[in-house]
Structure formats: C-alpha cells, structure tokens
Amino acid sequence: MISKITDTTVLNNGVHMPWLGFGVWKMEDGDQVISSVKAALAAGYRSIDTAAIYGNEAGVGQAIRESGIPREELFITTKVWNAEQGYESTLKAFEESRRKLGLDYLDLYLIHWPGKDKYKDTWKALGKLAQDGLTRAIGVSNFKEHHLESLLADSDIVPAVNQVEFHPRLAQKSLQAYCKQKGIQLEAWSPLMQGKLLDEPTLIELAAKYEKSVSQIILRWDLQSGVVTIPKSANEQRIKDNADIFNFELQAEDIAAIDALNQEQRIGPDPDVFLF
Ligand code: NDP
C-alpha cells in the first residue's frame, strides 16, 4: 500500500519517482509559481512537473532554492517543447531549461508531444543527455501505442515514463496495459479533469463514504491504479488537501465503480491531431 507522500515507484532504470507530484501548468512565473511551489514543498510534495512552454521554470528554480530542501530529495521534471524537437535543437532547449531552473541535473526530461516526424531524433538527444548524466531518467508525453511502437523499433532505450491525460473519464485502458507490459510508468496529467468532476454523483458518494473530498478520491484511485499523479493547484489549502491521500485505501468495489466512469473522453487535444 502506498502510505506516505515520499513513497516512490521504481522506474525501468532503477530511479525512484514519487507517486505524487505537483503540476504547475498555467501558473505565472514570479510570485504565483514561487509561492505555490513553496507551499507544495512545505506540504511534503517532493516532485514538481514543469515544462519549457509553461514559461515558469525560473520561478520553479527559485522556489526550490529558497525552500532549502536538499536537491537529492527532489524529483524535477521538465519537457522539450514541440518547436524545439530535433537532435541539436533539443540539446539546446535542455540547456536553456537547466539554466532557467538553475539545476545541475534534471530527474526526468520528457518529449512534450510526439508531433509528426521528429520524435526519433529528439529521443536520440534525450538518450545523449541521460548518458551524460544530465538527466536521471528520460521519457515521453502524449505518446499513443503507435508512437511508442515506432520509437521502440528505432531505439533500445525504453522510455521510463509516459505522461498522458488520465482521469476517471479517460482511463486509457489499452495504453495503460501496453505501458505496463513494456515497463513504462504511466503518469496522469489533468488528473482532476481540471476540476470538471467535482459534481459527479458516484465520486460524491465515495467522498461521503470515505470522508474525503472528490479530488482526494480521484487522486487515491490514481495511486491504486499504479499511475503517478501530478495535480495542480495555486491555492494553499487545496495544495495540502491534494496531498492528504495517504491515510486511506479504496476498496476494490469502489475502484471498480470509478473505473466504470470511463468514457475515453478527452479534454485536451488528441496527440494524433496535435501536429506542428
Ligand atoms: P488538474 O486536473 O490538476 O486540475 C487543476 C484545476 O483543478 C485547477 O483549476 C485547480 O484550481 C483545480 N483544483 C485543484 N485541486 C482542487 C481541489 N482539491 N478541489 C477543487 N478544485 C481543485 O489540471 P492540470 O491541467 O493543471 O493538470 C495537472 C498538471 O499536469 C499540470 O499542471 C501540468 O504540470 C501537467 N500537464 C501536462 C500536460 C502535457 O501535455 N504533458 C498537459 C496538461 C497538464 P486552483 O488552482 O484554483 O486550486
């Protein structure tokens, strides 16, 4: 049972990654991201998920430094944006992210979206960064099975993580099974469906049963489904609440009831049509 905020999953290269992380998409660089990341670290989160395109890596870095938490206790993820895909441009983009974050190394570097035809070259650059010890793990985001198949046909390095849209309305059943079989850790973005599930009746019932909030029920379901989760909040109380998911266990019948809410319904773009 996952019973503390520092509990980790072991990635396919042996690196430990916390089951719970903190997402910072749409947070403004400067005060907002700095105070939110500090609140998250104070609440016990040790994993932060940012991306070059979020424009807030500098603030994330500042919050990390000001927190005083030893670097080796943290797990920091960022991502190469679509426009920077390609071998040389990815190496450059990584340096830029590392400089903005003010870090010697990243814990996880992801290809943000597969796009059309550059992700194999981009993946080679990530392999080089890992080999050079500049990032402890490498992975992908928004990859479907066919993207992963084509990547694996071209490379011996299996992504450690695939970060995809995942919530009770989009359980990605087939992709989840595929990733499990290949040893790729699934990670949920928009795990709370950006707040759109707060009045879902089954979730409200379960919240009452466990004396938890709907968000806590969803995040606990992620963990018990073997999925790393990275909820975002810019509100100190909700940041704390989203981390208060380690003192209860959903029963199998309740996991099944949440599984039954799946409609394979996206709120974000389909990776096959988000081309650039
Ligand atoms: P989430 O599903 O985490 O939902 C965030 C929204 O829910 C915010 O509006 C937040 O408002 C609200 N919220 C948070 N906690 C609670 C709560 N306890 N009760 C009620 N409302 C709550 O959405 P995100 O899209 O932000 O996804 C999470 C992270 O995933 C991102 O921040 C980013 O790091 C990553 N991501 C990655 C993508 C990719 O392509 N790889 C794409 C999208 C996201 P408030 O802030 O006011 O609390």
Side-chain angles (χ1 to χ4, degrees), residues 43-100:
Y45 295 74
R46 287 295 175 266
S47 168
I48 311 288
D49 181 84
T50 185
I53 196 71
Y54 301 169
N56 56 22
E57 291 170 309
V60 169
Q62 188 174 332
I64 290 171
R65 283 189 298 283
E66 290 178 6
S67 77
I69 295 170
R71 172 67 184 94
E72 61 275 14
E73 287 180 23
L74 299 172
F75 189 98
I76 311 299
T77 301
T78 193
K79 318 183 187 89
V80 56
W81 184 240
N82 307 346
E84 269 63 60
Q85 281 212 34
Y87 188 82
E88 291 297 337
S89 42
T90 295
L91 295 180
K92 238 196 233 165
F94 179 86
E95 266 320 295
E96 188 63 12
S97 286
R98 200 161 71 99
R99 188 185 63 75
K100 286 189 176 150

Side-chain angles (χ1 to χ4, degrees), residues 14-211:
V15 166
H16 288 241
M17 176 178 193
W19 285 107
L20 178 71
F22 184 64
V24 300
W25 183 34
K26 290 187 181 158
M27 283 191 199
E28 276 172 39
D29 203 17
D31 288 350
Q32 190 185 44
V33 79
I34 293 168
S35 62
S36 301
V37 170
K38 278 183 166 172
L41 294 173
Y45 295 74
R46 287 295 175 266
S47 168
I48 311 288
D49 181 84
T50 185
I53 196 71
Y54 301 169
N56 56 22
E57 291 170 309
V60 169
Q62 188 174 332
I64 290 171
R65 283 189 298 283
E66 290 178 6
S67 77
I69 295 170
R71 172 67 184 94
E72 61 275 14
E73 287 180 23
L74 299 172
F75 189 98
I76 311 299
T77 301
T78 193
K79 318 183 187 89
V80 56
W81 184 240
N82 307 346
E84 269 63 60
Q85 281 212 34
Y87 188 82
E88 291 297 337
S89 42
T90 295
L91 295 180
K92 238 196 233 165
F94 179 86
E95 266 320 295
E96 188 63 12
S97 286
R98 200 161 71 99
R99 188 185 63 75
K100 286 189 176 150
L101 284 158
L103 296 175
D104 293 338
Y105 66 91
L106 263 297
D107 293 282
L108 179 63
Y109 198 47
L110 301 177
I111 303 180
H112 206 145
W113 289 88
K116 214 166 27 191
D117 52 9
K118 287 194 185 158
Y119 60 82
K120 290 184 185 174
D121 286 343
T122 307
W123 189 240
K124 290 195 173 77
L126 266 61
K128 162 92 173 126
L129 292 165
Q131 199 179 20
D132 291 349
L134 292 168
T135 181
R136 296 173 68 229
I138 54 176
V140 296
S141 178
N142 298 304
F143 273 47
K144 291 187 165 184
E145 285 162 65
H146 72 89
H147 298 115
L148 289 164
E149 279 291 297
S150 124
L151 196 71
L152 293 174
D154 193 59
S155 170
D156 292 336
I157 309 176
V158 179
V161 169
N162 187 14
Q163 182 186 111
V164 298
E165 184 181 340
F166 180 94
H167 43 68
R169 291 274 183 244
L170 178 67
Q172 303 261 25
K173 281 292 168 205
S174 163
L175 182 63
Q176 204 179 352
Y178 178 89
C179 286
K180 192 168 182 188
Q181 186 228 331
K182 297 285 180 192
I184 302 170
Q185 174 64 55
L186 206 71
E187 180 179 17
W189 65 251
S190 295
L192 303 174
M193 207 183 175
Q194 296 175 354
K196 292 186 178 62
L197 290 169
L198 296 174
D199 49 14
E200 205 299 315
T202 303
L203 295 173
I204 290 175
E205 247 178 65
L206 291 174
K209 172 173 171 183
Y210 289 91
E211 298 183 342

